[in-house]
Amino acid sequence: MGRVWGVSLITGFETRPDGAVRITDSLPRSCQNPCFSPDSSYILFTRFTDGYNDGPSELVRIKIDGSDETVLIPASGSDNVNAPYGSWISGKICWASDRAGGTEELYRADDDGSNIQQLTSHPESQGYYIEPVFNPTNTDKIVFEYAPSDTAPHRIALLELDEGDRMTILTAGIMYDDRLPSWSRDGGKILFQRNAVAGVEDWEIVVADITLGTSPSLTNLTSISPPGSQDTDNSWSYRNRRVLSSSDYGGLPVPNIIAFPSTGVGRPYRVTFSDTNEDGAPSYSSNGKWIAFESHTGEDEESPSAIWIVPAPS
């Protein structure tokens, strides 16, 4: 049995020995990318209708006890995918979609699904924009993952709606593959996952200061990953002191949720305990009480995921 942090008050469909509770029950549809509402009472997630990462997909809101499920953005034959942290801020949600009929673009809406805005528009030949997250202090500033093509390394980019829709590529290393950005709660830092060698699976967590203004840029890029672990789906803790990751740290047979010190100094600790299920896409609640994540059997990405919630460590 894994370590249980506190006492869960959530009644869901299934409970694991580590204290995690499953709050979605829509198999064989796949529920992924949980993101808490600003008041921590709801979760936004992506539901793929045909299995893991197999669209079309819709955006769904659900209470953290598994009740009051509502489809906010219907699939309508398109892929609609949110990021697991930072995609719901100050009454707004953001996501990526091919709903306009071309490549994936960035969208924003009110958190009841109304007032949908398409924020970007570019030719399919220029790649696709995915994994958008808000600056927590300004929803007109969005960092996202830019994929120039299906084979080229991905980049971290910035869209500033309050600067005439200005677009800035923040990372542009020739070999680096940079994905899944996450903005700190004070808006001063971002983190992302980086694969430093093309063709080699060696994902690490990179933390950087972000400077806005005339020429937005990243400085003080620092890897906080320990040697030998694969660390993906990373997101900030509610106080920026830790980074949640889907990681095989310590030689785990499947990735679990691990919390790393955001400075890279100190001992990581294990949040979830499963030797059979891959736990990914972790997200901290803003009140610091809960961690939500997706989980599915094994690592083959053939089995659909469900959304789980576990009490956060003190």
Side-chain angles (χ1 to χ4, degrees), residues 59-76:
L59 299 186
V60 183
R61 181 187 67 197
I62 194 171
K63 278 189 174 179
I64 63 171
D65 64 1
S67 66
D68 194 20
E69 181 183 294
T70 304
V71 175
L72 296 182
I73 306 296
S76 300

Side-chain angles (χ1 to χ4, degrees), residues 8 29 31 48 97 159 182 252 263 303:
S8 176
R29 293 174 293 176
C31 302
F48 290 91
S97 178
L159 169 65
S182 177
L252 298 177
T263 60
S303 60

Side-chain angles (χ1 to χ4, degrees), residues 143-146 154-158 168-172 177-182 190-194 218:
V143 290
F144 65 97
E145 180 182 326
Y146 165 51
H154 293 201
R155 308 290 184 231
I156 305 302
L158 170 68
T168 304
I169 305 298
L170 296 173
T171 64
D177 192 351
D178 298 330
R179 306 192 180 204
L180 279 167
S182 177
I190 68 166
L191 62 82
F192 52 92
Q193 69 183 57
R194 166 169 283 183
L218 299 182

